[in-house]
Amino acid sequence: MSLCDYDLLRPPRFVGLHNYTAILTDPAFWSAVRHTLVFALEQVPLGTVVALAVAVLLNQGIAGRDVYRTIIYLPQAASYVVVALVWSYLYDPVVGPVNLVIRDVGWPTVHWLTDAQLAMPSLVIMSIWRNLGYFMVIYLAALQGIPRELREAAAIDGANAVRTFRHVTLPLLRNVTSFVLVTWFLGALQMFTQAYVMTGGGPVEATTTVVFRIYQEAFLYLRVGRASAIAVMLFVVVAVLTLATRLLGRRWGART
């Protein structure tokens, strides 16, 4: 279909690579690529650090940790549409609880989803909150798989908690962290629901991502061929990144 001109109304007509050349010379496509990368690069590193920190905290013997683990994981069980609707209400400039608190402390109302500078960071915060539980569980499993003897040996050598975490725990979490970063990044490249439900790709296309662009091309502009071309290119990028990650992971594992 990416090699055809098709508008859902007439039979497809073969046009060769025309859709690809049209997409690659379209500034709107490159704008969507930029927004997608911004979303991924803002969300993934910060989210990974938060997930690791929460996992380390909940791996301690604190009271009620099982309850905290369940609460943090619960958003993962909800669909993105439900989460997006809830956060749209939280961000609402008139009745949203976030702005109610802001106004109570004397600050002006913040238009989280209609300000071009704040819309993407607002989606990033929501996405981290929604995905945090899944990656926290992965880190928890990895932390619980680290032999206690290694920490005890570090303590005997005089290492405090910070040095033990830096020189013992973190190196042993290297493969898990690589998995978390790559998995989260590949998922972020395919972001659509948050933008569709919360901002409609706006304001002024500030949250229009690659997948949202596919939706626009296919169902708003009825250019299914162009939408298919973008989808093929996104598939190739994701496949190459996945393959490269697997190869690097095998070499890394072999060295360690």
Side-chain angles (χ1 to χ4, degrees):
M1 195 61 67
S2 69
L3 303 176
C4 298
D5 179 16
Y6 181 43
D7 61 4
L8 295 176
L9 302 175
R10 294 167 295 183
R13 180 174 60 88
F14 181 78
V15 293
L17 297 177
H18 173 74
N19 289 323
Y20 289 93
T21 57
I23 287 297
L24 292 175
T25 56
D26 184 3
F29 168 73
W30 292 110
S31 176
V33 171
R34 184 175 67 256
H35 295 152
T36 302
L37 291 176
V38 167
F39 175 78
L41 294 175
E42 286 183 356
Q43 178 190 181
V44 176
L46 177 60
T48 301
V49 171
V50 174
L52 175 58
V54 172
V56 170
L57 178 63
L58 296 184
N59 195 44
Q60 310 301 315
I62 60 176
R65 65 178 183 178
D66 292 338
V67 175
Y68 297 140
R69 291 174 182 177
T70 302
I71 292 174
I72 293 173
Y73 185 80
L74 275 178
Q76 185 66 36
S79 72
Y80 252 123
V81 173
V82 172
V83 174
L85 290 173
V86 170
W87 276 80
S88 295
Y89 167 72
L90 294 176
Y91 283 139
D92 189 274
V94 179
V95 298
V98 176
N99 269 304
L100 291 178
V101 173
I102 289 175
R103 286 195 293 269
D104 283 343
V105 298
W107 295 343
T109 298
V110 179
H111 297 273
W112 299 99
L113 301 179
T114 55
D115 187 320
Q117 300 298 321
L118 296 177
M120 186 62 79
S122 299
L123 298 190
V124 167
I125 293 171
M126 183 275 279
S127 300
I128 290 176
W129 181 82
R130 196 265 180 181
N131 292 306
L132 177 62
Y134 174 73
F135 294 107
M136 176 203 68
V137 168
I138 293 175
Y139 269 125
L140 269 175
L143 288 169
Q144 293 172 3
I146 297 177
R148 182 178 299 176
E149 292 80 5
L150 296 178
R151 297 193 184 93
E152 293 174 349
I156 293 174
D157 290 339
N160 57 25
V162 174
R163 292 177 63 87
T164 299
F165 179 77
R166 179 180 176 184
H167 296 290
V168 177
T169 304
L170 272 183
L172 293 174
L173 294 176
R174 183 168 54 185
N175 290 335
V176 174
T177 299
S178 175
F179 169 80
V180 169
L181 286 171
V182 173
T183 303
W184 208 334
F185 185 77
L186 293 178
L189 291 182
Q190 303 168 66
M191 191 270 272
F192 169 75
T193 306
Q194 301 96 304
Y196 180 78
V197 174
M198 299 178 70
T199 63
V204 291
E205 298 193 342
T207 57
T208 296
T209 60
V210 171
V211 177
F212 195 89
R213 189 68 189 173
I214 294 174
Y215 160 77
Q216 288 179 319
E217 291 284 355
F219 301 108
L220 298 183
Y221 310 142
L222 299 182
R223 298 189 294 222
V224 178
R226 289 194 183 189
S228 300
I230 300 175
V232 169
M233 288 188 286
L234 178 62
F235 166 76
V236 171
V237 169
V238 171
V240 169
L241 289 176
T242 303
L243 179 61
T245 302
R246 289 175 62 88
L247 294 176
L248 290 174
R250 290 176 182 175
R251 291 183 180 180
W252 203 348
R255 291 178 181 177
T256 56

